[in-house]
Amino acid sequence: MQAEAKVCFYLGANSPTGFYSLYDQLLEPEQAETIYILKGGPGCGKSSLMRRVAQAMEEKGASVEYIACSGDPDSLDAVVFPALNTAIVDGTAPHVVEPKYPGLVERYVNLGDCYDRAGLQPLRQELMGCMKGYKACYQRVYRCLTAAAQIGEDLRSLLLTPALEAKMAKRARGILSREVKKGDGEAGRAVQRFLGGVTWKGVLCQFETVDALCKRVYELADTYGLAHSMLTHLAAGALAAGHDVIVCPSPLFPDRMEHLLIPSLSLAFVSASPSLPYPKRPYRRIRLDAMADAELLRRNKARLKFSRKVSAALVEEAVDSLAQAKAMHDELEGLYNPHVDFDRVYQTAQAVQVPIIGMGGIMNGEDALEFILAGAS
């Protein structure tokens, strides 16, 4: 039997302006039950703790939303348990999370206490050197992405004419009339999540998440970043009809929409390009490139091709720098790991997951006691 697809997003992005954070949208503090904020440096077990708790919750039948690290998609920055209004998040830089209602909603979990401070002292100079090199790699990443984004903006502004915007608005109205029925209740709510990112593994997009949440997928063939205008109309229409939406910004242009998910309708609109195609057969395909002015495309064919090539090369340079940063981070973790008390980390995971499991009535008191006594598996 094929494993069920996991719901995975990003709440941070490597962008031209540096690390772009959406962590304020993890959960609304006013509606949250508990948000555990993990503190601690490299190699202290933050991602491991989150995976252990998430696995335990999945085994008990709870839904889990995974938040991957923007630089290293194999690592976790948060896990959310939507039905319980509860989350665990890595609250260290660059995605610093500060409590709004400390003690009432947010609780600190200090994994820094799991370090063997005395054992780390002989590694002082080596650790400091790795930290400096790691940060320098990210500065190069942001410079490359800035240049790539400027070229991308040049292409978009060339093709995004008023006539094209009118065409996309008309097409959006047609889709809304067909797919989204008007409601008579309150307007829906929008939450932001990055669906993709620039990582050390390359430019990625979590299309598996789309497929896990939505059965009908419109693919927007979009080589030049034109989709934002159409998606804005679609999102506004869905919200007005009372549907909650997941707005997915572009990592290179965080103020613009790149994808739109409407889980209540099992409906999604995803941008796809030659370098990052949607891997499955879509429900519908809309060729935004073909909607652009044919004469503009013809006259600027060489310019468009050259600019795309240069932009792609700059993004590849950013990816290479992220890979260097990843290697340095691995070295840091390798230095720290022998001096971390992982038994204590796993005990902390146990202490976190038991009250979470109890929140949803997933485990009764007797089972919870047995679970605690059994220890981490």
Side-chain angles (χ1 to χ4, degrees), residues 32-353:
E33 182 69 31
T34 308
I35 300 175
Y36 294 89
I37 303 174
L38 306 183
K39 293 292 185 179
C44 71
K46 299 187 296 294
S47 186
S48 295
L49 182 150
M50 286 186 276
R51 286 193 190 280
R52 293 176 79 89
V53 177
Q55 181 179 351
M57 293 299 290
E58 284 189 339
E59 290 172 355
K60 298 298 176 184
S63 61
V64 180
E65 178 185 324
Y66 292 86
I67 304 298
C69 172
S70 57
D72 180 7
D74 294 329
S75 183
L76 285 178
D77 278 348
V79 289
V80 183
F81 310 107
L84 305 179
N85 283 322
T86 297
I88 309 172
V89 58
D90 177 356
T92 56
H95 34 75
V96 176
V97 176
E98 293 296 347
K100 186 173 181 179
Y101 303 108
L104 177 65
V105 174
E106 299 93 349
R107 294 177 58 183
Y108 280 118
V109 179
N110 184 12
L111 293 181
D113 286 344
C114 300
Y115 286 130
D116 173 12
R117 180 175 169 80
L120 290 171
Q121 293 307 310
L123 304 173
R124 183 183 182 89
Q125 295 304 317
E126 201 170 354
L127 289 170
M128 290 183 173
C130 282
M131 288 284 190
K132 290 179 181 177
Y134 178 74
K135 292 179 180 179
C137 286
Y138 269 90
Q139 292 305 312
R140 176 169 173 73
V141 168
Y142 302 143
R143 287 194 294 268
C144 290
L145 293 182
T146 296
Q150 288 173 343
I151 293 173
E153 177 59 24
D154 181 61
L155 298 183
R156 180 177 181 271
S157 61
L158 172 69
L159 298 176
L160 192 62
T161 62
L164 175 57
E165 292 199 84
K167 282 184 185 179
M168 290 193 289
K170 182 178 179 181
R171 181 66 67 88
R173 288 194 295 271
I175 293 171
L176 288 168
S177 66
R178 184 171 61 250
E179 303 283 5
V180 181
K181 303 305 179 186
K182 291 184 179 180
D184 52 6
E186 295 182 357
R189 173 178 167 271
V191 64
Q192 291 191 78
R193 296 282 192 270
F194 286 109
L195 192 62
V198 183
T199 78
W200 76 271
K201 287 187 168 184
V203 180
L204 303 181
C205 188
Q206 298 285 350
F207 287 123
E208 297 87 352
T209 294
V210 177
D211 297 330
L213 294 175
C214 304
K215 301 303 180 188
R216 293 176 297 146
V217 177
Y218 277 74
E219 178 189 348
L220 308 182
D222 185 18
T223 304
Y224 305 107
L226 305 172
H228 172 73
S229 295
M230 177 179 279
L231 292 171
T232 299
H233 289 290
L234 292 168
L239 288 168
H243 298 283
D244 292 345
V245 303
I246 302 174
V247 171
C248 302
S250 162
L252 279 184
F253 302 97
D255 59 335
R256 292 182 198 153
M257 209 182 313
E258 191 168 51
H259 315 283
L260 174 68
L261 311 183
I262 314 173
S264 62
L265 296 175
S266 196
L267 182 64
F269 302 87
V270 299
S271 300
S273 67
S275 60
L276 197 59
Y278 178 63
K280 293 187 177 181
R281 184 174 180 177
Y283 172 67
R284 295 278 191 277
R285 179 179 286 112
I286 300 176
R287 296 180 59 220
L288 297 186
D289 299 349
M291 295 172 69
D293 186 294
E295 181 61 20
L296 269 178
L297 288 168
R298 187 191 65 77
R299 286 203 317 262
N300 294 281
K301 183 177 179 181
R303 171 183 169 185
L304 293 170
K305 182 178 179 181
F306 175 76
S307 295
R308 283 177 57 203
K309 184 176 179 180
V310 173
S311 180
L314 286 163
V315 172
E316 279 302 310
E317 282 293 311
V319 169
D320 287 345
S321 292
L322 285 167
Q324 293 175 30
K326 169 68 164 58
M328 291 181 182
H329 191 267
D330 287 347
E331 185 178 350
L332 268 173
E333 288 196 335
L335 293 169
Y336 273 109
N337 277 164
H339 305 285
V340 175
D341 183 350
F342 280 99
D343 285 341
R344 189 171 178 180
V345 172
Y346 299 149
Q347 289 168 8
T348 304
Q350 198 80 357
V352 168
Q353 71 195 36

